[in-house]
């Protein structure tokens, strides 16, 4: 009985579309963006068990003042307890420090022992900050991170050339908070956000930007107006993919180029030889393939470039199908012509 | 049965205009789609140009599909897409045998075109799968790629955008294969060009 009612396929499609839209809306509302996750993690970090760190007790001598937004001392003359605000850039967040790469250090490993007295002596301000290469240079244990290569790339970069000695590693990397990311974080978007925030720390903040220049801070959104799907690009691609000279390695590119040399051609990324697959994306794709096998590996994760072919197998398969179709057509046509004679 | 009438008016103006638009858009979409898929620095069509044209053609195709969809929802043309389930497999076989054997023996087509049945069973099933399956899917996935932020971020662990991209390409490829076969089958008419003329003047010429 049911089969006798002739339903136009258009109605079936219409009903399916409505069901699809409903399902889509439901899935969509349960989606959470990784960007939000990054933020909440930064706002409410986990409480760290300080007893696990051998230098933590000694470090508390410094952190009792530098670990919070205010500090107190007794005025030697008036005998009153004075409470003052700590300068924001002198505050060290314990939770961030004890999860950073340098968490096992004690303060005086890098800073002068003389900081032990308060008030700190004025000449201590002149203390030179150690740069990455000062400790990591020539160290075999860190050879795979190629600090020497990073140093020479940095020396050739626009940052070093324009600002000379004023521009140090510290401009982008704080030894108190630095945490290795690209190699350890499985969530590509978090690595991208982490890396891009390093650039935005100055290029998105006029106060930091003008530490090195009197120029007006360029409006990044406006400068990148030509980029289609801007928001999507900014959350899926690191600034350095287009603005630094990338080598075929995961070592983060430090050779930042002048703006006129930035990548502007879509096909530089959206092509078979995409520059994105030279570093971070390649790393993730190969990790995923190792873990999940070829097909799932290619599709898993967030390494996405729209457009160009990713799978050679699929290409060969499609060419075979196309070839067979054309062959079938030719044979059919030939037989028709032959029989009509 | 053999000589029903010489000329049947089967393709009203709106269908012909829609068909032309659809054909043109599909061609543009296939060509630009290919150049996006195989983009490399130095290709003939620049990636951004190909993307822009592909996007615009896709948007117009959506409108044109809307015309087709609504037209077949409400006009009598929609009845041609209704597949009578009873005995359909047998009729499909008959048509298949005609195309693979009978046609070379100069047999008459088992389901000649009439005002009641514009499509033979094989055409019917192909057109339904194409027009109510692949085309709407390729349009929807296309919009998903045009606005990546509306696309589901992950689907059972797969990247939603990658999956949409892959399915869009597979569906687009299928459409282009069907299009090749469609164009070839149009040469099977009273004479090889008569079916093409029909889509211009609206009249079908019987054998």
């Amino acid at each position: 009985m049911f089969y006798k009612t002739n339903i136009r396929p258009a109605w079936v499609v219409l009903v399916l579309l409505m069901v699809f839209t409903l399902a889509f809306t439901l899935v969509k509302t349960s989606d959470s963006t990784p960007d939000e996750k990054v933020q909440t993690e930064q706002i409410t970090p986990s409480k760290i068990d300080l007893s696990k760190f051998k230098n933590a007790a000694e470090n508390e001598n410094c952190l009792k003042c530098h670990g919070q937004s205010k500090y107190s001392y007794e005025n030697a003359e008036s005998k009153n307890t004075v409470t003052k605000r700590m300068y924001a850039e002198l505050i060290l967040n314990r939770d961030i420090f004890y999860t950073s790469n340098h968490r096992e250090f004690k303060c005086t490993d890098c800073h002068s022992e003389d900081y032990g007295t308060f008030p700190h002596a004025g000449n201590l301000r002149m203390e030179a900050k150690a740069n990455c290469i000062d400790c990591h240079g020539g160290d075999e244990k860190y050879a795979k991170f190629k600090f020497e290569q990073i140093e020479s790339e940095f020396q050739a970069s626009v940052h070093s050339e324009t600002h000379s000695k004023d521009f140090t590693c510290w401009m982008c990397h704080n030894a108190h908070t630095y945490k290795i990311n690209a190699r350890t974080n499985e969530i590509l978007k978090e690595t991208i956000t982490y890396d891009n925030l390093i650039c935005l720390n100055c290029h998105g903040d006029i106060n930091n930007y003008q530490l090195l220049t009197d120029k007006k801070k360029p409006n990044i959104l406006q400068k990148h107006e030509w980029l289609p799907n801007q928001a999507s690009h900014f959350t899926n691609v690191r600034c350095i993919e287009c603005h630094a000279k990338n080598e075929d390695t995961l070592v983060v590119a430090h050779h930042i180029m002048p703006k006129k040399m930035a990548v502007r051609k879509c096909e530089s990324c959206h092509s078979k030889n995409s520059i994105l697959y030279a570093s971070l994306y390649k790393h993730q794709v190969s990790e995923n393939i190792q873990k999940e096998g070829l097909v799932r590996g290619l599709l898993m994760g967030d390494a996405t470039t729209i457009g160009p072919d990713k799978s050679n197998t699929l290409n060969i398969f499609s060419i075979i199908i196309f070839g067979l179709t054309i062959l079938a057509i030719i044979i059919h046509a030939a037989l028709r012509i032959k029989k009509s004679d | 049965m053999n000589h029903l009438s010489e000329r049947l008016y089967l393709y009203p103006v709106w269908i012909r205009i829609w068909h032309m638009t659809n054909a043109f858009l599909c061609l543009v979409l296939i060509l630009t789609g290919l150049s996006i898929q195989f983009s490399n620095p130095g290709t003939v069509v620049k990636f951004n140009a190909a993307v822009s044209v592909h996007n615009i053609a896709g948007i117009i195709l959506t409108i044109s599909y809307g015309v087709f969809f609504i037209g077949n929802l409400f006009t009598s043309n929609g009845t041609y897409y209704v597949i009578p389930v009873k005995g359909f497999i047998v009729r499909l076989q008959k048509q298949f045998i005609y195309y693979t054997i009978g046609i070379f023996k100069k047999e008459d087509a088992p389901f000649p075109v009439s005002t009641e049945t514009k499509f033979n069973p094989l055409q019917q099933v192909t057109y339904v799968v194409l027009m109510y399956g692949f085309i709407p899917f390729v349009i929807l996935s296309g919009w998903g790629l045009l606005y990546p932020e509306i696309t589901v971020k992950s689907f059972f662990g797969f990247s939603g955008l990658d999956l949409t991209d892959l399915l869009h390409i597979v569906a687009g490829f299928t459409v282009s294969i069907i299009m090749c076969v469609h164009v070839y089958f149009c040469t099977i008419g009273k004479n090889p060009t008569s079916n093409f003329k029909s889509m211009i003047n609206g009249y079908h010429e019987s054998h």
Side-chain angles (χ1 to χ4, degrees), chain A residues 193 195-205 208 217 220 239:
Chain A
T193 310
D195 279 0
N196 285 352
L197 281 177
I198 293 178
C199 305
L200 288 172
N201 193 35
C202 292
H203 289 274
D205 183 336
N208 290 339
K217 178 175 71 74
I220 289 183
C239 308

Side-chain angles (χ1 to χ4, degrees), chain A residues 150-254:
Chain A
I150 290 174
E151 177 67 17
S152 61
E153 276 188 18
F154 166 70
Q155 295 299 342
S157 75
V158 69
H159 282 148
S160 173
E161 290 202 331
T162 318
H163 305 293
S164 69
K165 286 203 173 100
D166 300 336
F167 205 106
T168 64
C169 306
W170 284 85
M171 288 289 164
C172 308
H173 308 290
N174 187 328
H176 302 116
T177 58
Y178 179 78
K179 191 178 175 184
I180 192 162
N181 213 294
R183 285 168 203 266
T184 50
N185 199 338
E186 281 183 11
I187 303 165
L188 189 70
K189 281 211 172 154
E190 285 188 7
T191 306
I192 291 165
T193 310
Y194 181 93
D195 279 0
N196 285 352
L197 281 177
I198 293 178
C199 305
L200 288 172
N201 193 35
C202 292
H203 289 274
D205 183 336
I206 186 78
N207 292 324
N208 290 339
Y209 187 79
Q210 290 196 333
L211 279 176
L212 288 173
T213 177
D214 292 329
K215 272 197 288 189
K216 226 177 97 206
K217 178 175 71 74
N219 184 332
I220 289 183
L221 299 182
Q222 224 169 48
K223 288 271 175 192
H224 290 86
E225 224 161 30
W226 61 277
L227 198 60
N229 286 317
Q230 201 189 61
S232 188
H233 275 104
F234 283 175
T235 48
N236 286 298
V237 185
R238 296 181 299 180
C239 308
I240 54 167
E241 312 291 0
C242 298
H243 290 280
K245 207 169 166 187
N246 275 292
E247 310 287 341
D248 191 3
T249 161
L250 186 61
V251 173
V252 172
H254 280 76

Side-chain angles (χ1 to χ4, degrees), chain A residues 64-72 83-86 91:
Chain A
K64 69 183 176 201
C65 293
H66 288 282
Q68 58 242 348
S69 55
K70 60 181 183 181
Y71 63 104
S72 304
T83 302
K84 289 258 170 88
R85 281 175 66 97
M86 179 63 74
I91 301 172

Side-chain angles (χ1 to χ4, degrees), chain A residues 26 30 55 57 83 92 159 182 209 229 282 307:
Chain A
L26 289 175
S30 64
N55 293 317
T83 302
L92 204 152
H159 282 148
Y209 187 79
N229 286 317
K282 182 180 175 181

Side-chain angles (χ1 to χ4, degrees), chain A residues 8 24 270 301 307 310 332 336, chain B residues 39 75 99 150 159 184 187:
Chain A
R8 293 186 185 194
F24 180 78
H270 296 274
K310 272 159 270 187
H332 200 271
R336 266 171 67 206
Chain B
S39 101
T75 72
Y99 274 145
I150 63 162
S159 149
Y184 170 66
T187 64

Side-chain angles (χ1 to χ4, degrees), chain A residues 3 6-11 13-14 17 20 24 27-28 31-34 189 229 232 236 265-268 270-273 295-296 298-310 314-315 317-319 321-322 325-326 329 331-336 339-341, chain B residues 36-42 46-48 65 69 71-76 78-79 81-85 99-100 103-104 106 128 132 136 140 145-154 156-159 161-163 165-166 169-170 173 177 180-181 184 187-189 192:
Chain A
Y3 291 113
N6 288 337
I7 307 164
R8 293 186 185 194
W11 286 112
V13 174
L14 205 61
L17 261 178
F20 175 77
F24 180 78
V27 174
K28 205 62 201 153
D31 247 12
S32 73
T33 61
K189 281 211 172 154
N229 286 317
S232 188
N236 286 298
K265 279 199 181 120
C266 307
E267 51 267 45
S268 303
H270 296 274
S271 71
K272 207 172 176 180
N273 305 315
V295 180
R296 281 175 68 82
L298 275 173
L299 284 170
M300 296 282 284
D302 340 293
T304 305
T305 40
I306 290 305
D309 50 338
K310 272 159 270 187
L314 208 64
N315 272 338
F317 189 62
S318 65
I319 289 166
I321 291 184
F322 184 74
T325 310
I326 298 298
I329 288 174
I331 293 171
H332 200 271
L335 281 172
R336 266 171 67 206
K339 296 286 175 181
S340 68
D341 290 339
Chain B
I36 295 167
Q37 169 76 356
F38 295 102
S39 101
N40 246 338
K46 286 261 167 282
F47 183 86
N48 35 344
Y65 182 73
F69 194 83
N72 285 320
L73 214 48
F74 298 112
T75 72
S76 62
T79 55
Y81 293 89
V82 178
I83 300 177
V85 177
Y99 274 145
T100 46
I103 192 168
F104 305 119
K106 304 235 168 104
V128 166
Y132 296 107
L140 280 179
L145 294 171
L146 194 58
Y147 291 98
E149 58 275 15
I150 63 162
T151 305
V152 180
K153 284 207 174 57
S154 69
F156 295 111
F158 292 113
S159 149
L161 208 54
D162 257 357
L163 202 64
D165 185 25
L166 184 73
I169 289 165
V170 171
F173 174 73
I177 289 287
C180 290
V181 179
Y184 170 66
T187 64
I188 305 175

